[in-house]
Amino acid sequence: MKLRVVIVSGLSGSGKSTAIKALEDLGFFCLDNMPVVLLPKFLELCLTSEGKITKVALVMDLREKDFLRSYPETFSRLREEGQEVELLFLEASDTALVRRFQETRRPHPLGRSLLEAIRLEREGLAGLRSMANWVLDTSEFTSHQLKRVIRERFGQLQNQEGMTTSLLSFGFRHGMPFEADLVMDVRFLPNPYFLPSLRPLTGEDQPVIDYVLSAPEAKEFLEKLTGMMEFLVPLYQREGKAYLTLAIGCTGGRHRSVTIANELGRVLEKQGGKVRVRHRDVNKGEEV
């Protein structure tokens, strides 16, 4: 029997509890804060469950005092033995972490002043971060958005019918999306922001859609981008990738990127692809 193992780790306040709940919704057997030295024995027990436990997810982090000392050898040994261990590392900006700790009024596990504790934890987990299969920055996520991303990513691991392509619009002024596998910049297209009648609208409103797609370069770009995706998707599928995220960015993430992501999604769906479209920054204020 093949056992799927997901380790959720990362910075305190980055959303590990939310992530593990989303994995539990997907049917993973979940444990929080199990000592890392017990992991090999725990997996042995799961393998003897006669198929009752086929996928597990565990949160492991600095709350366990021996974690930093024990995880390198344990994780490396499991991978060397052929056990499939996927490591999800969650992080966030200092500003986001401080805000979350202030909102929840929880102390940081390392004590000390909050910023100093965040710095020490970030430095201490740098080696673990480098081992991760997926590093996800949750700075801009609500708990609902994080759950959706986790469900989309790991839910597809069970699906044998093909890879899902996720199209994510975003604004460069709000930062790059860390979950992106590929990034496209559409700031070369005419910007609806400079038309007073279009400025308060978004790329989901028809006047903006008509304006963006009326540019000859928009049509040519979509044709070339569609061709690129037709070329890449089968190659990623051949390598066993279950989920591909293409991020499409403009300045503020409200007009051009939203229009292009929606239009590309419609084209790919017509071709029979499995597509999800998400707009990260569409409600974050006017584009500039």
Side-chain angles (χ1 to χ4, degrees):
M1 182 188 74
K2 191 70 171 179
L3 185 66
R4 183 175 295 281
V5 183
V6 176
I7 305 296
V8 181
S9 192
L11 302 180
S12 301
S14 60
K16 290 170 290 185
S17 296
T18 299
I20 202 72
K21 289 177 182 176
L23 289 167
E24 187 173 27
D25 292 342
L26 292 172
F28 282 78
F29 182 84
C30 297
L31 288 175
D32 189 1
N33 201 25
M34 187 181 76
V36 69
V37 294
L38 298 180
L39 179 58
K41 185 63 176 178
F42 170 74
L43 297 183
E44 288 180 18
L45 293 174
C46 291
L47 289 169
T48 62
S49 68
E50 298 181 350
K52 294 179 181 178
I53 299 177
T54 59
K55 49 186 181 178
V56 298
L58 306 101
V59 176
M60 294 181 171
D61 53 36
L62 286 182
R63 288 173 297 169
E64 182 203 346
K65 64 179 181 179
D66 291 329
F67 178 73
L68 286 180
R69 181 178 59 83
S70 303
Y71 84 79
E73 179 184 354
T74 302
F75 289 178
S76 297
R77 178 158 55 89
L78 287 173
R79 285 175 170 176
E80 289 172 359
E81 293 174 353
Q83 176 61 57
E84 185 176 351
V85 178
E86 300 167 81
L87 176 56
L88 166 62
F89 188 94
L90 301 182
E91 62 184 8
S93 67
D94 288 358
T95 301
L97 295 174
V98 168
R99 183 184 70 248
R100 292 169 186 174
F101 275 103
Q102 290 174 339
E103 289 173 349
T104 61
R105 299 183 181 181
R106 293 188 297 114
H108 194 283
L110 294 182
R112 312 192 184 205
S113 69
L114 184 52
L115 282 174
E116 182 183 8
I118 292 172
R119 178 183 62 81
L120 290 173
E121 185 176 34
R122 199 183 295 277
E123 292 175 356
L125 293 177
L128 180 65
R129 185 184 188 279
S130 68
M131 296 176 63
N133 302 89
W134 186 26
V135 177
L136 179 61
D137 187 301
T138 67
S139 301
E140 301 295 331
F141 287 175
T142 65
S143 60
H144 296 295
Q145 290 171 332
L146 177 56
K147 282 184 177 180
R148 181 173 61 195
V149 169
I150 296 296
R151 286 196 297 264
E152 289 176 350
R153 184 85 174 205
F154 289 97
Q156 293 304 315
L157 295 175
Q158 309 169 67
N159 196 324
Q160 302 300 316
E161 298 178 358
M163 185 177 70
T164 295
T165 300
S166 175
L167 305 178
L168 171 65
S169 74
F170 74 97
F172 281 97
R173 65 178 297 194
H174 302 297
M176 293 278 287
F178 283 82
E179 67 267 37
D181 298 298
L182 303 169
V183 177
M184 285 290 166
D185 184 349
V186 297
R187 287 177 291 186
F188 63 87
L189 295 174
N191 192 348
Y193 174 83
F194 295 110
L195 294 180
S197 62
L198 300 182
R199 183 178 302 173
L201 304 179
T202 75
E204 297 191 287
D205 295 310
Q206 196 60 48
V208 172
I209 296 171
D210 293 340
Y211 178 80
V212 172
L213 297 182
S214 67
E217 56 266 38
K219 180 179 179 180
E220 184 176 357
F221 173 72
L222 277 168
E223 290 176 352
K224 292 181 181 298
L225 184 57
T226 301
M228 185 188 77
M229 297 303 292
E230 291 173 347
F231 171 74
L232 288 177
V233 167
L235 298 179
Y236 282 120
Q237 285 181 305
R238 188 180 67 188
E239 294 302 313
K241 194 172 181 64
Y243 200 81
L244 177 69
T245 299
L246 169 63
I248 301 172
C250 60
T251 305
R254 286 174 48 81
H255 297 125
R256 294 166 290 181
S257 61
V258 173
T259 297
I260 295 299
N262 283 338
E263 187 64 20
L264 179 61
R266 281 191 286 271
V267 173
L268 296 179
E269 284 182 343
K270 286 181 180 179
Q271 297 176 347
K274 296 168 58 180
V275 182
R276 289 188 174 90
V277 181
R278 180 163 63 93
H279 305 301
R280 192 191 73 177
D281 301 326
V282 69
N283 295 316
K284 288 188 177 178
E286 293 185 353
E287 186 170 352
V288 296

